[in-house]
Amino acid sequence: MAYKHASQSLQDSFDLAYSTGQRPADVLKMGETDITGDLLWVVQNKTKKKIRIKIQGALKALILRITMRKALLNSTTKKLLVNEKGEALSKNMLRNRFDKARDDAIKAHPDLEQKIRQYQFRDLRAKAGTDIGDREKAQGLLGHTSMTMTEHYLRDRAGDIVTPTR
């Protein structure tokens, strides 16, 4: 719900976080210089794990959208995520935009306030891993060295398939 109430810079942040499955800090530091050919190179802050993400499909379209927006804003930063002035998006800018979008979503849907307040930006990482549908691919995208950590992130939204007693 917050996406509908988000500024363009926050929507870009949501989309980049979801497409890459990376932590907010790693998404904020992504830059044009991290792109080589059709790969986005990521060195995760927390683990120092190196990941190369193929730039294809929705991620390719997203990076094109971001670079076109930056050109329209005459942005000079090499960072991918920028604010409305073309300046690199900071952690505080991201936090403020997220809080505003969440508050606007609550104003539009006061009956869902408790559910909306539970949502955090970092939840996109778990959603990305879960939506891949393949545990090994999720482990690779999230940069986990063990499947145990990946299992911690994955959310079994559909539930187990079981058979009746008769």
Side-chain angles (χ1 to χ4, degrees):
M1 294 216 187
Y3 189 92
K4 293 177 184 177
H5 300 277
S7 64
Q8 186 60 55
S9 59
L10 183 58
Q11 286 183 358
D12 290 346
S13 302
F14 281 150
D15 293 341
L16 193 57
Y18 176 72
S19 294
T20 63
Q22 300 305 300
R23 294 174 185 88
D26 295 325
V27 172
L28 284 171
K29 75 175 188 174
M30 289 178 184
E32 295 168 13
T33 56
D34 299 321
I35 298 171
T36 304
D38 65 345
L39 295 173
L40 173 61
W41 292 66
V42 176
V43 178
Q44 295 180 329
N45 278 347
K46 183 176 177 183
T47 63
K48 305 304 178 214
K49 174 84 175 177
K50 295 177 182 176
I51 301 169
R52 295 174 295 159
I53 302 171
K54 289 183 182 179
I55 299 174
Q56 61 186 30
L59 179 58
K60 186 174 185 173
L62 171 62
I63 290 174
L64 178 61
R65 181 180 88 204
I66 289 171
T67 54
M68 289 175 61
R69 183 169 163 265
K70 286 178 62 180
L72 289 172
L73 294 170
N74 294 317
S75 178
T76 58
T77 182
K78 295 296 181 188
K79 298 292 183 188
L80 287 177
L81 296 174
V82 297
N83 66 12
E84 296 71 23
K85 296 178 183 176
E87 303 163 335
L89 203 63
S90 70
K91 181 180 177 181
N92 286 337
M93 289 177 190
L94 179 65
R95 173 90 257 154
N96 292 339
R97 282 161 179 73
F98 180 80
D99 289 347
K100 182 182 181 325
R102 189 168 53 188
D103 289 346
D104 290 348
I106 289 168
K107 286 176 189 170
H109 305 279
D111 53 317
L112 299 175
E113 179 175 0
Q114 186 176 359
K115 185 175 183 175
I116 294 169
R117 286 221 182 271
Q118 291 176 14
Y119 178 69
Q120 298 178 33
F121 188 93
R122 67 181 179 171
D123 291 330
L124 288 170
R125 183 167 161 81
K127 179 168 177 40
T130 301
D131 287 354
I132 288 175
D134 179 297
R135 293 185 183 307
E136 288 181 9
K137 287 181 181 178
Q139 181 181 2
L141 181 67
L142 300 178
H144 294 148
T145 55
S146 74
M147 185 56 74
T148 304
M149 182 53 74
T150 304
E151 296 285 342
H152 173 74
Y153 270 82
L154 300 183
R155 309 228 169 114
D156 190 5
R157 291 191 266 160
D160 294 336
I161 298 175
V162 296
T163 57
T165 55
R166 295 183 184 198

